[in-house]
């Protein structure tokens, strides 16, 4: 594998929640850039602030040798979707993708109470993403990782990674990529 396409929302983009105009952390603090440095691979950052899981038959076309890391669902939850609905939307999206080198589906770290997460019910629903995405990954024969196990620090809003959170996330995703995506090359 020569390239990893990292497709996600504002946490993939590297959004700095202290910025009210869409600013982002510097490259040395963003998980995608940290992962690229650790792996020695090209990692394409396809994160976008506010991105929900694509709908209406949208998909990505990846070339042979390109792997996909996808972490989505947080914005869908914030807009009222359930974890089950997120898994179904992600299933439809992935079925519309051409996956050259396979995919790693990452369940985002669960929310915590904060400026964007005023209710415990939303925190509880965010915890349901990991089991729903794990089942989806098994169904599709793709890799899965639960970022809720990586000790990712979230900022005051309860949603976005802090710089330390990006470091923890990069370390966790590095292990998952080495085991799941790059391990397929040696088979």
């Amino acid at each position: 594998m020569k390239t990893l396409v990292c497709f996600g929302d504002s946490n993939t983009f590297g959004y700095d929640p202290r910025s009210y105009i869409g600013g982002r952390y510097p490259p040395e603090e963003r998980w995608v850039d940290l992962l690229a440095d650790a792996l020695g691979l090209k990692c394409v950052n396809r994160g976008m602030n506010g991105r929900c899981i694509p709908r209406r038959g949208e998909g990505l076309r990846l070339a042979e040798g390109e792997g996909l890391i996808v972490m989505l669902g947080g914005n869908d939850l914030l807009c009222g979707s359930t974890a089950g609905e997120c898994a179904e939307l992600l299933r439809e999206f992935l079925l519309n993708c051409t996956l050259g080198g396979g995919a790693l589906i990452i369940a985002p770290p669960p929310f915590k109470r904060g400026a964007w997460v005023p209710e415990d019910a939303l925190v509880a629903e965010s915890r349901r993403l990991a089991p729903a995405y794990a089942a989806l990954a098994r169904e599709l024969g793709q890799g899965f990782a639960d970022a809720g196990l990586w000790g990712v620090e979230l900022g005051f809003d309860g949603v976005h990674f802090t710089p330390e959170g990006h470091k923890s996330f990069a370390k966790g995703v590095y292990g998952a990529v080495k085991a799941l995506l790059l391990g397929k090359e040696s088979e």
Side-chain angles (χ1 to χ4, degrees):
M1 182 171 315
K2 297 178 181 171
T3 303
L4 288 173
V5 176
C6 303
F7 191 77
D9 56 24
S10 52
N11 278 319
T12 299
F13 175 75
Y15 174 71
D16 182 345
R18 301 167 298 184
S19 168
Y20 293 104
I21 57 171
R24 65 198 302 203
Y25 293 117
E28 62 273 9
E29 293 182 354
R30 297 189 298 246
W31 75 260
V32 173
D33 297 285
L34 295 168
L35 179 64
D37 290 344
L39 290 172
L41 292 175
K42 180 179 178 183
C43 291
V44 178
N45 191 327
R46 297 278 308 272
M48 184 176 79
N49 291 340
R51 176 178 278 145
C52 289
I53 300 167
R55 291 154 168 81
R56 299 175 307 278
E58 296 176 43
L60 298 175
R61 304 291 174 248
L62 301 182
E64 192 63 37
E66 288 184 326
L68 175 66
I69 296 173
V70 61
M71 182 177 65
L72 287 168
N75 288 314
D76 300 88
L77 292 175
L78 291 170
C79 291
S81 294
T82 66
E85 291 166 341
C86 290
E88 183 54 34
L89 288 168
L90 191 57
R91 179 184 183 280
E92 290 174 26
F93 169 68
L94 289 170
L95 288 175
N96 282 301
C97 291
T98 302
L99 301 174
L104 173 62
I105 300 167
I106 300 179
F111 297 150
K112 70 174 189 176
R113 290 285 300 260
W116 287 26
V117 185
E119 301 170 1
D120 289 333
L122 191 51
V123 174
E125 194 62 33
S126 72
R127 293 183 186 286
R128 294 183 184 103
L129 277 179
Y133 283 8
L136 174 64
R138 282 191 302 275
E139 174 193 339
L140 299 180
Q142 300 297 334
F144 169 74
D146 180 359
L149 303 175
W150 298 339
V152 176
E153 181 180 77
L154 301 178
F156 69 92
D157 59 10
V159 173
H160 292 102
F161 302 173
T162 65
E164 264 317 301
H166 275 271
K167 289 178 190 170
S168 298
F169 189 90
K171 183 178 177 184
V173 77
Y174 172 84
V177 167
K178 292 289 278 188
L180 298 171
L181 292 181
L182 296 178
K184 289 182 179 181
E185 290 183 346
S186 61
E187 294 177 356

